[in-house]
């Protein structure tokens, strides 16, 4: 089943309908994809947790920094790694990464905990103790 398209301006709806009815064509994906690093971020009543995949890395290669209210986790690939290997398949890509999050003031960054096990970096930031409401007297 073919569709003849005349030289005219196609709206996004026209393209969607065309792609739906022509199953032999694939949807185009953008060429400039951003490669996201695998991270899980979740929260419970104790604080916020970060699970960051660091497959094939040691804890000495990963840098965790706290500046003001910014949490930064980074790894820079060593230049000493041999580049003369001819990989047939490289599923474990040790790509450099530089991750950062702005942490809300309700979390206490001075008490951050970090551990690494089985290629998974785990960070925990506890909640700050709740400030009790104060009554302000007017002078």
């Amino acid at each position: 089943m073919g569709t003849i398209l005349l030289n005219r301006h196609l709206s996004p709806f026209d393209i969607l309908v065309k792609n739906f009815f022509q199953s032999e064509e694939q949807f185009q994906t953008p060429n400039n994809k951003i490669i996201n690093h695998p991270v899980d971020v979740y929260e419970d009543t104790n604080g916020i947790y970060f699970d960051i995949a660091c497959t094939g890395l040691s804890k000495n290669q990963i840098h965790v920094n706290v500046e003001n209210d910014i949490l930064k986790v980074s790894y820079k690939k060593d230049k000493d790694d041999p580049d003369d290997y001819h990989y047939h398949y490289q599923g474990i890509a040790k790509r450099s990464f530089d991750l950062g999050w702005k942490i809300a003031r309700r979390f206490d960054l001075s008490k951050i905990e970090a551990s690494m096990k089985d290629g998974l970096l785990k960070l925990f930031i506890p909640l700050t103790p709740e400030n009790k409401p104060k009554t302000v007297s007017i002078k």
Side-chain angles (χ1 to χ4, degrees), residues 15-26:
I15 295 169
L16 178 66
V17 170
K18 175 183 169 285
N19 287 336
F20 180 77
F21 288 107
Q22 292 183 343
S23 60
E24 66 271 1
E25 290 187 29
Q26 297 291 328

Side-chain angles (χ1 to χ4, degrees), residues 3-67:
T3 304
I4 299 174
L5 297 174
L6 301 175
N7 291 333
R8 65 182 180 109
H9 176 69
L10 296 175
S11 71
F13 182 76
D14 293 334
I15 295 169
L16 178 66
V17 170
K18 175 183 169 285
N19 287 336
F20 180 77
F21 288 107
Q22 292 183 343
S23 60
E24 66 271 1
E25 290 187 29
Q26 297 291 328
F27 284 98
Q28 297 295 321
T29 57
N31 293 334
N32 55 351
K33 282 183 164 180
I34 297 174
I35 299 172
N36 293 326
H37 193 78
V39 176
D40 287 341
V41 181
Y42 52 97
E43 181 181 347
D44 67 5
T45 56
N46 298 321
I48 190 166
Y49 299 84
F50 294 84
D51 292 345
I52 304 168
C54 298
T55 306
L57 303 177
S58 69
K59 62 183 178 181
N60 299 331
Q61 295 174 304
I62 302 166
H63 304 285
V64 179
N65 297 324
V66 175
E67 297 175 16

